[in-house]
Amino acid sequence: MINVGAGTGSYEPSHTVLAVEPSSVMIAQRPAGSAPALEAAAESIPLADDSADAVMALLTVHHWSDLQAGISELLRIARQRIVVLTFDPDINHRFWLLEEYLPEAAAFDSTRAVAIDRLATLLGGARIETVPVPHDCTDGFLAAYWRRPEAYLHPEVRAGISLFAQISDEVLQPGLARLADDLSSGRWHQRHADLLDREALDAGYRLLVADL
C-alpha cells in the first residue's frame, strides 16, 4: 500500500509501505515507526509503474494542483486497486457550520472541490460508498464535530482543519461569533434538535474504490 498525499500519517494503515507527501513540515511530524516518506507531489511521483498492489489518497485530492495528472499517477503506480476518500461538495457545503455560519468558507472550498462523478470517471469507473460520520468521531476533519458544535470555537480544533487554515481569522470570526451566541442562547440546539439524538450523519464524505 502506498499512501499518496499522506500528510502526517493520521489515516495510515499499518501495512503501508511508503508515504508520498509534498510537505517536508508534515513529513517531519510523522510519528516514529510509521512508513518511510517520499517528499513528492501527487502529480509527479518518482516511482516505477505498478509499484504497489494498492494506492490510497485520503482527504487530499482537493489540494492537488492538477487533478487529472494526480489520478493518472495513481493509475500508473497501482497494480490492483485505488482507494480515494473525498467529499461531495453538493452535500458537504450544506453542512450546518458552512451553510449557516461560514458561507465564505464554503465559497472558497467550491473553488477547489472535486465533483464525485468527475473523480469516478478519471479513475476509469469506481464504486462509490457513503462514509457516515459518527457523533463521537475522533478524527478532526471539518464535519467531525457535527453534534459537538462548541468544538469549532476552539482554535486548537480549527487548527487541525485544512479549510480553516487557508482562510483568515478576519473572515472566520464573525461567523464563529454568531455560533457562540447561538450556543449560549440555545438557538443552535433548538434549530438542530433533530441532530441531538442521531448516531451518525452523512456530511458528504465518499469512498471511491477502483479495481484495476
Side-chain angles (χ1 to χ4, degrees):
M1 170 75 75
I2 294 176
N3 185 11
V4 176
T8 60
S10 300
Y11 307 106
E12 210 160 87
S14 59
H15 56 277
T16 301
V17 297
L18 182 69
V20 177
E21 167 56 43
S23 169
S24 59
V25 174
M26 287 195 172
I27 289 175
Q29 295 174 12
R30 292 172 61 80
S34 58
L38 175 65
E39 187 174 339
E43 297 86 347
S44 181
I45 302 173
L47 294 173
D49 296 357
D50 301 325
S51 289
D53 288 339
V55 176
M56 69 179 191
L58 308 184
L59 296 178
T60 180
V61 296
H62 56 290
H63 292 296
W64 297 357
S65 61
D66 187 332
L67 178 68
Q68 186 166 346
I71 296 301
S72 294
E73 283 290 83
L74 300 191
L75 290 165
R76 182 182 65 80
I77 66 172
R79 286 192 294 268
Q80 297 178 7
R81 175 171 287 184
I82 296 172
V83 178
V84 176
L85 177 63
T86 185
F87 60 89
D88 184 337
D90 292 337
I91 299 174
N92 189 254
H93 292 168
R94 295 200 300 270
F95 175 45
W96 63 259
L97 178 67
L98 298 181
E99 187 171 63
E100 298 172 22
Y101 298 99
L102 300 172
E104 301 89 351
F108 169 78
D109 213 31
S110 294
T111 66
R112 59 181 192 156
V114 178
I116 296 297
D117 289 346
R118 182 188 178 206
L119 186 54
T121 298
L122 289 174
L123 286 166
R127 182 171 76 253
I128 302 171
E129 301 179 8
T130 297
V131 182
V133 183
H135 73 91
D136 56 354
C137 182
T138 56
D139 290 320
F141 54 83
L142 177 66
Y145 306 97
W146 60 269
R147 214 179 84 177
R148 295 165 287 171
E150 62 284 347
Y152 296 109
L153 301 178
H154 299 297
E156 61 272 21
V157 169
R158 298 197 303 273
I161 299 173
S162 64
L163 177 59
F164 291 160
Q166 298 175 68
I167 297 175
S168 70
D169 279 347
E170 184 179 0
V171 172
L172 294 174
Q173 285 307 319
L176 294 174
R178 291 196 304 275
L179 174 59
D181 187 55
D182 284 355
L183 288 173
S184 64
S185 68
R187 283 191 296 269
W188 186 93
H189 293 81
Q190 292 173 354
R191 188 182 305 132
H192 295 290
D194 62 310
L195 296 180
L196 301 180
D197 293 325
R198 294 187 62 171
E199 294 297 312
L201 178 74
D202 178 8
Y205 295 96
R206 298 293 182 264
L207 191 72
L208 284 78
V209 181
D211 291 313
L212 308 178

